[in-house]
Amino acid sequence: MTEARESAGPQALRAPGTPCWVSLMAHRLTATEEFYGELFGWEFRPGPQQLGPYVRALLDGREVAGMGQLPPENRLPIAWTPYLASDDVDRTAEAVRLCGGTVAVGPLDAAEAGRLAIAADPSGAVFGIWQAPVHLAPAITGVPGAPAWNELITFETESVAKFYASVFGYETEPVVSAGFDYVTLCVDGRPVAGLHGVGHALPRDQGPYWGTYFEVADTAETLRQVTGLGGRIVRPAHDGPHGRMATVADPEGAVFSVVQDPR
């Protein structure tokens, strides 16, 4: 997780490559709404239905995330997926293919929300691509319940960093440290996401994946809430340079992290 987590304006949020949305596809949508509504104080309203039942999560009246319902026969892993901004989702999807990735869904129109695709990098980590309409409002950031950071957990960063830089034009800033494989992805000099190479520490039955951090007011209290609501703790609370954080899973197994800003 990187140092820069300051709020960005609407133009920055739409800059190509910037994470601009996170979405979760679950089997039990109503129960999932109840879990996150209690945990983060989210409210919900209907969203685009092109991929099935879908709701937008709101915090203080501002959209922060989306959740959809998977068909019963779909046994894909339940996971949070970040969407990266694009000026032209069709062109970006083609770049994904040319650079060794795959496009699983789309590109397709999502009503007034814009145009999207769901892709995977060469290592298999899934991410979304979103071309938003001009009237997109800025996302809410820097408050409990809002997404704070997105980070790819992968085997090694060198090859995958080249993929994302080629597709989205990122500037890359490797961390120079023996035994620590980390690259920060930047847009116009602004850190927007991270790549963390963990080698054989990555479970072979899971594969590389994108993880989302959500800001919380109190990490310890959040962990109590998670377990009380039927979730579980994946990695206990620990102190880092960016606050007290932990990794948890919701009742369906979707893994995410929480971080308490030390400021």
Side-chain angles (χ1 to χ4, degrees), residues 24-234:
L24 173 67
M25 300 298 289
H27 287 292
R28 300 186 299 273
L29 183 56
T30 299
T32 301
E33 289 181 47
E34 292 174 356
F35 174 84
Y36 288 98
E38 288 288 335
L39 185 65
F40 292 139
W42 291 350
E43 299 177 335
F44 302 91
R45 71 181 183 194
Q49 308 292 305
Q50 279 78 359
L51 300 179
Y54 193 85
V55 295
R56 292 174 173 138
L58 283 73
L59 183 64
D60 296 330
R62 306 282 289 281
E63 295 181 357
V64 291
M67 298 193 303
Q69 182 166 308
L70 287 168
E73 68 277 6
N74 192 317
R75 307 316 302 175
L76 288 174
I78 308 300
W80 281 98
T81 301
Y83 279 73
L84 309 177
S86 171
D87 286 339
D88 186 331
V89 69
D90 295 82
R91 186 174 64 229
T92 302
E94 183 59 25
V96 166
R97 296 187 186 96
L98 291 173
C99 293
T102 58
V103 178
V105 178
L108 55 82
D109 291 322
E112 77 283 357
R115 189 163 171 79
L116 63 84
I118 299 175
D121 66 28
S123 72
V126 176
F127 62 95
I129 308 166
W130 186 23
Q131 180 182 346
V134 175
H135 64 266
L136 175 71
I140 186 171
T141 59
V143 297
W149 185 247
N150 291 282
E151 190 167 277
L152 173 66
I153 309 301
T154 189
F155 294 112
E156 54 81 26
T157 64
E158 184 176 2
S159 61
V160 78
K162 292 178 182 176
F163 167 82
Y164 285 100
S166 297
V167 173
F168 292 101
Y170 292 121
E171 306 139 25
T172 58
E173 294 183 357
V175 171
V176 180
S177 175
F180 186 59
D181 183 11
Y182 196 96
V183 173
T184 300
L185 302 179
C186 300
V187 173
D188 296 329
R190 181 173 56 90
V192 297
L195 311 178
H196 189 188
V198 298
H200 295 299
L202 184 68
R204 292 286 176 173
D205 59 349
Q206 180 179 30
Y209 65 94
W210 277 94
T212 296
Y213 287 77
F214 293 94
E215 188 155 331
V216 296
D218 186 321
T219 299
E221 176 59 27
T222 298
L223 296 186
R224 284 192 287 270
Q225 287 183 285
V226 166
T227 55
L229 292 167
R232 61 185 174 87
I233 298 171
V234 176

Side-chain angles (χ1 to χ4, degrees), residues 12-29:
L13 288 166
R14 287 198 297 269
T18 306
C20 56
W21 190 247
V22 289
S23 188
L24 173 67
M25 300 298 289
H27 287 292
R28 300 186 299 273
L29 183 56

